[in-house]
Amino acid sequence: MSAVSREETERLVTPSTSDMTVFGPDIVAKARQIIARYPESRSALLPMLHLVQAVEGYVTPAGVDFCAEQLHLTTAEVSAVVTFYTMYKRKPCGEHLVSVCTNTMCAMLGGDEIYKRLGEHLGEPRKPLGHEETAGTPGEPGSITLEHAECLAACDFGPVLQVNYEFYDNQTPESAVELVDALRRGEKPAPTRGAPLTDWRTVSMELAGFYPEDADEFQSAVDGPSAAAETLRGAQLAADRGWTAPAMPEDAPLPPVETR
Ligand code: FES
């Protein structure tokens, strides 16, 4: 959960007079597709917010209005969700979002140093880039938003960072600086695991559930290495030693169902 100032809360919950035409017929059609996935329209809010981010690069007041209108919610209800989850950005994002894990395991292995070095490298002299600040013009090619992140569930590869939620494992301050320099040059270095790197808006559209329709393009958008040796080490150890889980008794009685 992220901290929200009173002014920002007021801005988000006050129905804006903003122009919603940016959410044209194609985006409305996508919104309808998202809503159709759920028995209740309000359940569609999370992917709807990713859709808004794919269109505008962050959750704008117009995006809040759009979600509220499509889902029959109040702007306060939408804003409560936007301000709770850190994946929803309330400031314009760069072409790439770089998330450095600074949780305990990664921090001890060098994550804090990586975050500090990137902030200094991407910032100005004596003014390092801070959390959710952007180097370059947001949305423009080569622009980078930096954030520190809680545990990214990859402690066995720490210290890790993500670019647009794709993993770059076993990082050092030097490798992280090389990575962001490559991003600024317009390159897309291959993640250690996961799908090929795209950009923040494309990945936001994917999080909303929209991928290329062409089968080959879809496959190349999602293909990538998943588990690595570190993840599989326990399973490998068990296989080498012939360890197996005890078989389930065939006629094991079901636990009693409690009724009131
Ligand atoms: S502490 Fe960094 S991935 Fe878990």
Side-chain angles (χ1 to χ4, degrees):
M1 183 175 169
S2 51
V4 189
S5 68
R6 183 175 171 171
E7 292 73 28
E8 189 174 10
T9 304
E10 281 174 2
R11 178 178 66 77
L12 284 165
V13 302
T14 305
S16 76
T17 53
S18 51
D19 182 4
M20 279 199 281
T21 53
V22 65
F23 303 106
D26 56 329
I27 299 303
V28 172
K30 282 186 163 57
R32 297 280 154 75
Q33 285 182 51
I34 293 173
I35 293 165
R37 295 178 199 148
Y38 299 92
E40 293 284 340
S41 64
R42 65 187 300 129
S43 304
L45 179 55
L46 299 187
M48 282 283 290
L49 288 167
H50 288 302
L51 179 66
V52 163
Q53 295 199 129
V55 176
E56 296 217 272
Y58 69 115
V59 182
T60 58
V64 171
D65 287 352
F66 177 68
C67 290
E69 184 184 274
Q70 294 292 322
L71 303 175
H72 310 295
L73 297 171
T74 65
T75 52
E77 287 172 317
V78 175
S79 298
V81 173
V82 175
T83 52
F84 183 83
Y85 292 109
T86 55
M87 285 176 85
Y88 300 121
K89 304 304 179 195
R90 307 189 301 273
K91 288 191 291 188
C93 241
E95 182 190 21
H96 299 293
L97 173 68
V98 173
S99 316
V100 181
C101 180
T102 53
N103 213 280
T104 310
M105 181 70 84
C106 284
M108 289 180 65
L109 292 170
D112 281 346
E113 184 56 31
I114 290 171
Y115 180 75
K116 180 168 175 281
R117 184 78 70 85
L118 285 183
E120 290 166 355
H121 186 69
L122 293 168
E124 294 163 14
R126 288 195 275 179
K127 192 173 181 304
L129 205 67
H131 176 63
E132 290 192 340
E133 290 183 347
T134 299
T137 306
E140 292 295 314
S143 55
I144 291 175
T145 298
L146 179 67
E147 69 174 2
H148 64 78
E150 298 301 322
C151 180
L152 295 170
C155 312
D156 43 351
F157 301 104
V160 297
L161 63 78
Q162 291 180 327
V163 180
N164 310 326
Y165 306 124
E166 302 298 350
F167 276 107
Y168 293 82
D169 300 333
N170 299 310
Q171 291 293 295
T172 63
E174 293 72 30
S175 66
V177 165
E178 279 174 27
L179 176 59
V180 297
D181 283 348
L183 296 174
R184 289 169 120 181
R185 291 192 298 268
E187 297 167 18
K188 302 267 176 73
T192 318
R193 293 171 289 125
L197 187 67
T198 54
D199 56 69
W200 164 248
R201 290 198 190 206
T202 302
V203 90
S204 295
M205 192 60 94
E206 291 174 355
L207 287 167
F210 297 100
Y211 289 85
E213 285 179 12
D214 176 85
D216 290 340
E217 282 180 38
F218 171 81
Q219 210 53 48
S220 59
V222 300
D223 258 356
S226 53
E230 289 88 338
T231 309
L232 300 174
R233 193 158 289 150
Q236 187 60 54
L237 195 64
D240 292 346
R241 299 185 179 187
W243 295 343
T244 55
M248 290 288 286
E250 272 182 25
D251 297 321
L254 292 171
V257 178
E258 282 187 21
T259 54
R260 289 176 183 243

